Amino acid sequence: MKNTQETLSPRLAQAVRASPLGGELLDCSGSVPLHEASIATFFGALRPGAIHYFVPAVPVASELGLPAYDPLLFWVPDGIAVSREALLARPFAPARLQRETGAPLCRIEGVSLEEQEHYFVDHYGAICPLPRQVSVVVANACNLSCLMCPYHGKESRRKHTRDYFATPRFMDRDVLFAVADQIGALGLPVKMGNIEEPLLHPDLAAFVARARGAGSPGAHVTTNGTMLTASRADALLDAGLTSLYVSIDAAMPETYARIRGGGLAKVEAHVRGFLEKAAKRSPRCTVMVSFVQNDGVDPQEVERFAEKWLPLTDGVIFYNVATYAGGSARFASIHDIAQRKVRDHGKRWPCLNPWQEVYLQPDGGVLYCCETLSRLAYMPLASMGNFLETPLPDIWLGETFGSLRRALLRNSLGAWPACDTCGIWMAHVSATEETEQGKVVRNMITEIRYPS
C-alpha cells in the first residue's frame, strides 16, 4: 500500500507498511489525531475492489443529526482512478463520488466508546467549535398563566419548590446588548421565548437589531401574541426578525379562554396583522402557529385550527400535552416513531442538545437544553459557565460541557439530575410524510404540518 502524503503518524505509517493490499491511502485527519482503535478498525476492514473511508460516529445520535466529521481516512485500491480533489470535495457526498468513479464505496465507522469520547469530547472543537444556536432567556416572566404551563400556570406555580419564577426579572439592557455583540460576532443564530413572554422585554427589538447588525444570521421569537401589536410588529420586522412562532392553542374562543385566558380574536388579529406586514416587508420571515393538545380539547377543533392557519402561515405545530412532576416533562402520548427507535436500539442514546445549543440566562448562567429550564423551579442546576466572565466559545469547549458530553456517551448521568430523569431525550427522532395537503413532520411529541 502507498500513501499520498510525505509524512504519516508512526502508527499509521506502520499500518500502511503492514498491509498486503495494493492501493493508496489518504490521511485527511488534519489536526485531529487518529485514535489507535480507529486505525485498527479501518485497516482490519479493508477489502479489494472498493473505495473505503473512515468516519467517527455515535450510534443513533449521528443518524439523528449530531455534528458530523468528514472522512478522516480514504483508501483507494489499485485499478480505481480517482483524484485527490474528488476525495476532498466538500461537503462530502458519497453518492456523487460513487457516480464519478463507478466504484463501490465502503463506509467504516469508529463507534467504540473510547473513539466516541476521543472524537466527540476531547476533539469536538474540530467539527463544532461553536454552538449551532443560542437561546437567550430575556426574562423569567409572562403575562399569561396558561393551564398547562410548567413555569407560569397557577397549578404548576403552587408546586414549585424554588422561587425562581416568583419575582419577575429581566436581562439588563447592557447585558442584553453585550450578548448581541458576542453572538453577532460569532455569526450565531439566536432565539427568544423559552420560559418567558419575550415581548415583555422593552429592549427586545433593539436586541434583535443589534444582533443581526453584528452578524447574526437569524433571529427567532416565540410569543403568545397578546402583545404583538402593529407597532411591535413593525419594530421586530425593522430589526431583522427572521422567524416568529405564535402559541395559540385554540380555534374557538371558549377553548382559548379556558386554556389561556383572554380573548382569541385579539390574538388572531395580531397574527394576521403581522402576516400582512411580513408579506410586504420581509417575505422570508417564517411565521408559524402552534396548538398544545390539552386534555378535553375536541379533535375536531385541532383540525379546524389547521384548516384556519395552514393556508396563511408557513406551518402549524401540534404539541402533545405534558405533565411536569418536579420539572421533568412526561407525555401521555409519545409518537410511535420514537418508541420504535428505542425498541430497535435497546438502550438510551445521547441526547443531541448539549452538542448543539446553549441557553443564556439573565444572571450570566449557561444551560444546555429546554428541559433544564423547567427544572429551575424545583432544583438548583450547575451552570456550564458564566458568559459575563468567559467567552462563549471557551464555555462551549470547556471542561464542564466536556464532562456532560462524556457522561451522556457513557450513559452515566448521576451527576446530571436534569439529564438522568429526562423524559424527552429521544425527541430528535423524526419521520416525514408527504400528503395531498403538504408535508408532515412528526417527532416524539410534535406534529408539524407544512402547506403544499
Side-chain angles (χ1 to χ4, degrees):
M1 179 180 292
K2 299 173 288 184
N3 73 81
T4 59
Q5 294 150 293
E6 294 181 359
T7 60
L8 293 174
S9 69
R11 178 65 186 89
L12 198 55
Q14 179 186 15
V16 169
R17 290 193 298 270
S19 175
L21 296 173
E24 292 190 358
L25 177 77
L26 177 62
D27 178 9
C28 312
S29 57
S31 62
V32 181
L34 290 164
H35 192 277
E36 175 71 23
S38 303
I39 298 173
T41 297
F42 184 71
F43 280 86
L46 297 182
R47 298 292 183 270
I51 297 172
H52 291 62
Y53 63 96
F54 172 80
V55 288
V58 176
V60 183
S62 289
E63 171 192 340
L64 297 180
L66 184 71
Y69 280 86
D70 285 316
L72 301 185
L73 289 172
F74 280 102
W75 177 68
V76 182
D78 289 339
I80 295 178
V82 58
S83 67
R84 178 188 176 96
E85 290 72 23
L87 296 175
L88 295 178
R90 298 295 181 263
F92 178 63
R96 182 192 63 205
L97 184 61
Q98 189 164 358
R99 283 197 310 271
E100 291 177 355
T101 62
L105 264 66
C106 181
R107 175 186 172 100
I108 301 171
E109 294 184 346
V111 296
S112 69
L113 179 58
E114 293 79 9
E115 289 172 285
Q116 292 177 44
E117 293 185 17
H118 177 79
Y119 295 112
F120 293 97
V121 179
D122 301 334
H123 298 281
Y124 187 53
I127 55 168
C128 195
L130 297 168
R132 290 182 168 180
Q133 180 173 264
V134 177
S135 291
V136 180
V137 181
V138 300
N140 69 339
C142 186
N143 61 330
L144 295 182
S145 181
C146 300
L147 199 65
M148 66 293 182
C149 179
Y151 318 117
H152 309 288
K154 292 178 182 178
E155 284 298 317
S156 295
R157 291 287 284 268
R158 281 195 281 268
K159 298 174 184 177
H160 290 178
T161 56
R162 298 181 70 233
D163 63 355
Y164 186 87
F165 293 99
T167 303
R169 294 188 299 275
F170 295 83
M171 186 174 282
D172 290 342
R173 179 185 176 91
D174 291 345
V175 173
L176 196 65
F177 285 0
V179 169
D181 291 343
Q182 184 174 179
I183 291 173
L186 295 172
L188 299 175
V190 61
K191 70 172 184 176
M192 289 75 66
N194 297 285
I195 61 175
E196 80 277 33
E197 170 48 56
L199 296 186
L200 286 171
H201 201 295
D203 298 310
L204 181 70
F207 168 74
V208 171
R210 186 149 178 158
R212 295 280 281 134
S216 178
H220 167 84
V221 165
T222 295
T223 174
N224 60 39
T226 59
M227 301 176 65
L228 191 61
T229 60
S231 60
R232 287 194 177 94
D234 287 334
L236 288 169
L237 290 168
D238 288 344
L241 190 73
T242 57
S243 175
L244 181 82
Y245 291 0
V246 185
S247 306
I248 302 177
D249 303 334
M252 300 173 64
E254 55 269 31
T255 304
Y256 189 87
R258 179 174 69 88
I259 299 296
R260 290 187 161 261
L264 175 61
K266 173 184 174 182
V267 173
E268 290 185 336
H270 285 172
V271 177
R272 289 191 173 94
F274 187 92
L275 286 165
E276 291 174 4
K277 290 176 179 292
K280 296 175 182 177
R281 298 167 50 188
S282 186
R284 293 186 179 181
C285 181
T286 300
V287 182
M288 302 180 77
V289 294
S290 67
F291 188 117
V292 175
Q293 300 180 78
N294 283 279
D295 294 338
V297 172
D298 191 326
Q300 291 183 353
E301 184 168 359
V302 173
E303 294 308 314
R304 183 181 297 183
F305 185 85
E307 292 169 3
K308 177 186 291 187
W309 290 109
L310 201 54
L312 302 177
T313 65
D314 295 297
V316 177
I317 308 168
F318 293 102
Y319 293 99
N320 294 341
V321 69
T323 58
Y324 291 86
S328 178
R330 291 293 183 270
F331 290 84
S333 177
I334 297 176
H335 199 278
D336 287 346
I337 56 170
Q339 297 186 47
R340 285 198 302 269
K341 180 66 75 173
V342 174
R343 288 196 300 269
D344 292 346
H345 188 59
K347 61 181 180 179
R348 178 171 175 166
W349 58 82
C351 169
L352 301 188
N353 285 357
W355 274 275
Q356 293 182 330
E357 61 184 332
V358 294
Y359 287 74
L360 307 186
Q361 297 179 269
D363 63 357
V366 180
L367 294 175
Y368 45 89
C369 80
C370 58
E371 179 76 357
T372 58
L373 299 177
S374 62
R375 305 298 180 94
L376 293 171
Y378 297 92
M379 65 177 69
L381 294 175
S383 175
M384 312 306 281
N386 189 312
F387 67 83
L388 300 176
E389 302 170 355
T390 306
L392 196 54
D394 294 344
I395 295 174
W396 180 244
L397 297 178
E399 182 179 348
T400 308
F401 256 114
S403 296
L404 172 57
R405 292 171 186 140
R406 199 178 305 276
L408 286 163
L409 292 172
R410 295 179 179 181
N411 196 15
S412 178
L413 296 166
W416 301 91
C419 296
D420 195 32
T421 58
C422 177
I424 58 171
W425 55 268
M426 73 291 283
H428 292 89
V429 180
S430 67
T432 300
E433 178 187 4
E434 296 291 344
T435 72
E436 292 182 0
Q437 291 74 35
K439 182 172 69 173
V440 179
V441 178
R442 299 179 179 90
N443 66 19
M444 169 191 167
I445 55 176
T446 66
E447 176 179 295
I448 308 174
R449 303 185 194 181
Y450 297 93
S452 56

